[in-house]
Amino acid sequence: MSYTVRFCNVNDPYLRYLIVCVDKTWGSPGCQAWTGDWVYVGSAPPGACVTSPPFTASKILTAVTSSDAGFYYSVEFVDSQGRVVKRCDRVDRNNPCYLEVTQ
């Protein structure tokens, strides 16, 4: 099954990296400052959302942002049926959101 990741700006006024990594955890090669399988650089006003393209993972999907210092995003993993399968409310560079994928 494929998943998209919806990043919604909660309170961040700055330009940030939004990152999705497939089958990698934050800090591992290919999923670190600021690289991943999908990287979006932009700023949106609080309340605005950005959605990644769909990804298929065999083990885990990682979503993280470059925000810090009390600025953060909420993240939703959405399956190919449009269902939110996991939500994380305070995602920043120190608090990635992980979705463990079961086959």
Side-chain angles (χ1 to χ4, degrees), residues 63-83:
V64 65
T65 75
S66 62
S67 55
D68 67 348
F71 298 114
Y72 52 90
Y73 281 70
S74 67
V75 167
E76 293 178 337
F77 290 96
V78 182
D79 70 14
S80 57
Q81 305 299 314
R83 299 174 296 212

Side-chain angles (χ1 to χ4, degrees), residues 46-103:
C49 299
V50 174
T51 302
S52 77
F55 292 101
T56 301
S58 61
K59 297 179 282 189
I60 195 164
L61 278 173
T62 301
V64 65
T65 75
S66 62
S67 55
D68 67 348
F71 298 114
Y72 52 90
Y73 281 70
S74 67
V75 167
E76 293 178 337
F77 290 96
V78 182
D79 70 14
S80 57
Q81 305 299 314
R83 299 174 296 212
V84 175
V85 295
K86 183 168 184 181
R87 179 183 168 97
C88 298
D89 288 322
R90 297 180 65 98
V91 175
D92 64 18
R93 69 179 66 184
N94 300 308
N95 297 295
C97 186
Y98 297 106
L99 175 68
E100 293 186 32
V101 176
T102 55
Q103 301 295 328

Side-chain angles (χ1 to χ4, degrees), residues 2-7 18-22 37-40 50-56 61 76-78:
S2 65
Y3 300 90
T4 58
V5 184
R6 184 181 308 132
F7 292 86
L18 309 179
I19 300 164
V20 176
C21 301
V22 178
D37 295 288
W38 178 77
V39 178
Y40 175 88
V50 174
T51 302
S52 77
F55 292 101
T56 301
L61 278 173
E76 293 178 337
F77 290 96
V78 182

